Amino acid sequence: MVSSTHWLASQSAMAVLEDGGNAYDAAVAGAFVLHVVEPHLNGPAGEVPILLAPAGGEVRVLCGQGVAPAGASAAHYRSLGLELVPGTGPLAAAVPGAFDAWMLLLRDHGTKSLADVLKYAIGYAEHGHPPVENVGATVETVRQLFETEWTSSAEVYLPGGRAPRPGTLLRNPALAATWQRLLAEVAGAGDREAQIEAAREVWRTGFIADALVRQAARPTLDTSGEHRTGTLTAADLAGWSATYETPVTYDWGGWTVCKAGPWSQGPVLLQQLALLPPELPPYGSADYLHLLIEGCKLAMADREAWYGDAAQVPLDDLLSAEYNTERRTRVGPRASHALRPGSPGGRVPRLPDYARVVAPDAPGPGRLGVGEPTFAKGPASPVPGEPEGAGDPETAAEPGTAGEPDVAGDGTTRGDTCHLDVVDRWGNMVAATPSGGWLQSNPVVPELGFPLGTRLQMTWLEEGLPNTLTPGRRPRTTLTPSIALRDGEPVMAFGTPGGDQQDQWQLHFFLAVALRAPVRGGLDLQGAVDAPNWHNDSFPGSFYPRGMRPGSVTVESRTDPKVIEQLRRRGHDVTVGGAWSEGRLCAVARDPATGILSAAANPRGMQGYAVGR
């Protein structure tokens, strides 16, 4: 079974399974197709966290999130007159991580050759694929930037001066040529594993590395309005590799949920589970939504104060029963409009000045003050996955826009990402959330056909925070795939695009699966994907310009009007979006008792696709 955010990626991965490959072969093939067919949402120089559950083995995290280059210090960026890392351009580029992570997955867990898994992406890049509407919409938004500044991007995405559109084929011959040259250079390296290792070296030190470094050194117009060069060097590329890690886990209701560590936002989903009381209100009721919304605000406040790769994160305390029992008392009958981080282990929380709020019950004398929330510098702005035109169902976003990029003319992007889940006949399972390196992040590298990423925009330029921009450390990412176990057996892999919304939508999906009676003899994955979804924005967004909207909640118009009215009476600032506008969830599952496989895909936008046999 395969589920992904694009039908061609799902079908390509399924073709690998049908050809005798395993889940990991299939995932790599599907991922490289996603680079081609969702270029506005991910690319080879982006990043990817991967959760893998080998049949009979332990769940592992494969971290494909690159670090900040050696020259990327907060002091350096402040010396340039910056208060935030730009949302576009080479200054925002971390060491690219996605390619190496996929190579490690293929080398260590796959069975197919590099040529076998790349042929699908090469074919679609060389001969063309039918672009989804949002590719063209994204390109139109940045047309002037491409035509006047990022001309290498215009060559790929404005062929003949026209943006990609449905009913035509979009080609990227430069990308196809890159992978073809890569295969030619590694063909004589030896066996399957040796060729994959050789490909990793070409990426780090060969023609691909050379082109990436040249691009980083080119002055590029970014969201600051200036032409700036980046900090990525050959030494940065040569010195980094993807790594395996132990997942963070939490047990709830007979399930064990596995996530990446606090360099991602993954533990936010786990803490939201830990914050739930022993007895939950009826599913879908106003009491239920209020409880989940307020719990999310508390978990996200802790994310802002404690998560990151530049400091030790007190994760055991943050997920402990004692801590969350106390935090649960902060959920009152009314909506909170304050950012309220806690004090795990008695530690005093510290928020970045840019996003600081004054909270009446925040711990630490003199740290956050008293009174109603105020905002030092953080602008109120659209957030990842926010449907345009929200508030009026007649003008709300078309189905499927949640989780798609919200792009300004300067390339500023809020929202991104793809997702891919696979389970094979042997029970191997993988969940991955590729992102970054999208077409509006940086100019296309002319020699390669894809751009650098912008993940450093998620760090802060204030010293001493867990997520301070620090050389050699990972930016705290929003990317957060999931694997869930029952009785120690992997049962379900799932995830979604959507920036800061990912662990909101995934919680709602997981609870819909866990709380509702199984149907058709198994888990009702599709019913949980289809259920009306929602998100809140009462915390600093992870994307430039880092805005937030205290108290805001966006719900799909399919939500019961009585529930919406009750939420408003409780003080929530409710926006009613499109009927099918929240989330792009994917999921696959395996029943350990019977071996029966199942899958579901998001109907929003009509491009997510689940397939199996």
Side-chain angles (χ1 to χ4, degrees):
M1 292 279 178
V2 182
S3 179
S4 87
T5 49
H6 196 286
W7 71 90
L8 290 178
S10 295
Q11 287 285 40
S12 298
M14 193 67 212
V16 173
L17 294 175
E18 292 176 332
D19 193 42
N22 65 18
Y24 311 111
D25 299 314
V28 176
F32 278 85
V33 171
L34 285 173
H35 297 159
V36 179
V37 299
E38 291 195 312
H40 59 312
L41 303 177
N42 80 137
E47 43 276 327
V48 60
I50 305 169
L51 267 63
L52 57 146
E58 296 292 324
V59 177
R60 300 289 285 165
V61 175
L62 180 49
C63 174
Q65 174 57 64
V67 298
S73 67
H76 171 61
Y77 283 51
R78 290 198 309 272
S79 75
L80 299 175
L82 296 169
E83 294 185 351
L84 291 175
V85 177
T88 62
L91 267 182
V95 177
F99 180 87
D100 197 61
W102 291 120
M103 292 301 99
L104 277 186
L105 185 68
L106 184 65
R107 183 196 72 183
D108 297 341
H109 300 278
T111 63
K112 295 289 189 179
S113 70
L114 185 58
D116 285 338
V117 297
L118 283 183
K119 65 184 180 182
Y120 306 94
I122 291 172
Y124 287 124
E126 183 175 11
H127 302 297
H129 64 92
V132 297
E133 290 184 3
N134 279 313
V135 175
T138 301
V139 172
E140 284 292 356
T141 305
V142 292
R143 172 186 285 274
Q144 183 177 0
L145 177 68
F146 280 14
E147 291 178 336
T148 60
E149 294 281 348
W150 297 9
T151 54
S152 60
S153 299
E155 290 178 9
V156 176
Y157 293 109
L158 286 168
R162 300 192 67 178
R165 61 197 184 281
T168 64
L169 293 179
L170 174 62
R171 300 174 63 242
N172 189 341
L175 178 57
T178 295
W179 299 143
Q180 289 166 333
R181 178 177 173 182
L182 175 71
L183 291 175
E185 291 196 8
V186 307
D191 62 11
R192 189 187 79 91
E193 288 80 5
Q195 289 186 16
I196 295 169
E197 276 300 298
R200 297 178 71 206
E201 285 305 306
V202 170
W203 180 275
R204 291 173 176 166
T205 63
F207 79 94
I208 294 177
D210 292 343
L212 291 173
V213 171
R214 282 194 299 272
Q215 184 64 44
R218 292 185 177 112
T220 301
L221 182 66
D222 62 30
T223 52
S224 72
E226 301 290 337
H227 290 79
R228 303 184 189 273
T229 58
T231 59
L232 184 69
T233 67
D236 294 320
L237 281 165
W240 184 86
S241 67
T243 53
Y244 291 99
E245 300 176 358
T246 301
V248 181
T249 64
Y250 188 79
D251 295 333
W252 185 87
W255 295 80
T256 299
V257 183
C258 304
K259 301 290 282 187
W263 53 267
S264 76
Q265 72 173 3
V268 164
L269 186 145
L270 306 183
Q271 190 177 354
Q272 288 179 95
L273 290 172
L275 284 163
L276 294 176
E279 297 293 330
L280 296 180
Y283 176 87
S285 65
D287 288 341
Y288 180 82
L289 267 68
H290 175 78
L291 178 69
L292 267 58
I293 292 165
E294 293 305 298
C296 176
K297 292 174 184 178
L298 294 174
M300 284 296 195
D302 280 343
R303 183 193 75 165
E304 289 309 306
W306 302 109
Y307 288 23
D309 198 35
Q312 290 294 316
V313 180
L315 201 54
D316 288 344
D317 288 327
L318 286 167
L319 296 179
S320 69
E322 178 183 13
Y323 178 73
N324 286 289
T325 297
E326 188 280 329
R327 290 287 275 161
R328 198 179 300 136
T329 65
R330 307 296 181 100
V331 177
R334 300 279 300 170
S336 171
H337 288 213
L339 195 64
R340 300 177 293 169
S343 295
R347 301 168 182 86
V348 177
R350 181 184 170 197
L351 293 169
D353 286 340
Y354 193 89
R356 187 170 306 213
V357 301
V358 180
D361 54 355
R367 184 64 61 160
L368 296 177
V370 295
E372 289 302 311
T374 59
F375 307 90
K377 303 173 185 175
S381 62
V383 292
E386 177 74 1
E388 296 178 6
D392 180 356
E394 296 300 320
T395 59
E398 289 301 313
T401 55
E404 292 286 343
D406 181 5
V407 185
D410 60 2
T412 299
T413 306
R414 297 174 291 276
D416 65 289
T417 310
C418 312
H419 190 79
L420 175 71
D421 298 311
V422 188
V423 59
D424 64 25
R425 70 194 78 177
W426 301 284
N428 300 304
M429 193 174 289
V430 60
T433 309
S435 185
W438 47 73
L439 65 87
Q440 65 276 18
S441 63
N442 262 293
V444 165
V445 183
E447 307 94 320
L448 302 178
F450 59 84
L452 288 165
T454 54
R455 193 58 57 172
L456 295 185
Q457 68 177 291
M458 296 187 167
T459 61
W460 296 109
L461 298 183
E462 184 180 349
E463 298 288 358
L465 298 169
N467 194 31
T468 296
L469 177 61
T470 305
R473 295 292 184 174
R474 294 166 290 191
R476 189 198 72 213
T477 178
T478 54
L479 309 175
T480 172
S482 304
I483 285 180
L485 319 176
R486 285 189 72 87
D487 301 320
E489 290 286 328
V491 171
M492 186 165 61
F494 58 100
T496 179
D500 296 299
Q501 276 70 266
Q502 289 180 34
D503 280 317
Q504 300 187 56
W505 291 331
Q506 288 185 68
L507 176 72
H508 311 160
F509 164 82
F510 173 74
L511 291 177
V513 170
L515 294 175
R516 290 181 147 181
V519 298
R520 296 188 295 275
L523 301 173
D524 184 11
L525 301 184
Q526 194 63 53
V529 169
D530 292 351
N533 219 321
W534 68 92
H535 78 271
N536 86 91
D537 313 313
S538 293
F539 49 85
S542 294
F543 293 86
Y544 180 93
R546 315 303 296 269
M548 58 181 162
R549 300 194 305 170
S552 77
V553 177
T554 302
V555 302
E556 291 182 325
S557 61
R558 294 180 294 129
T559 305
D560 185 341
K562 294 180 181 179
V563 170
I564 295 172
E565 180 58 30
Q566 290 177 47
L567 290 175
R568 286 175 170 151
R569 288 177 181 173
R570 291 173 183 236
H572 297 280
D573 181 9
V574 180
T575 294
V576 179
W580 296 89
S581 58
E582 290 283 315
R584 292 177 66 205
L585 283 150
C586 302
V588 300
R590 179 180 184 271
D591 184 339
T594 64
I596 292 176
L597 308 181
S598 56
N602 174 48
R604 299 161 177 88
M606 297 180 288
Q607 70 182 67
Y609 197 70
V611 61
R613 59 168 291 182

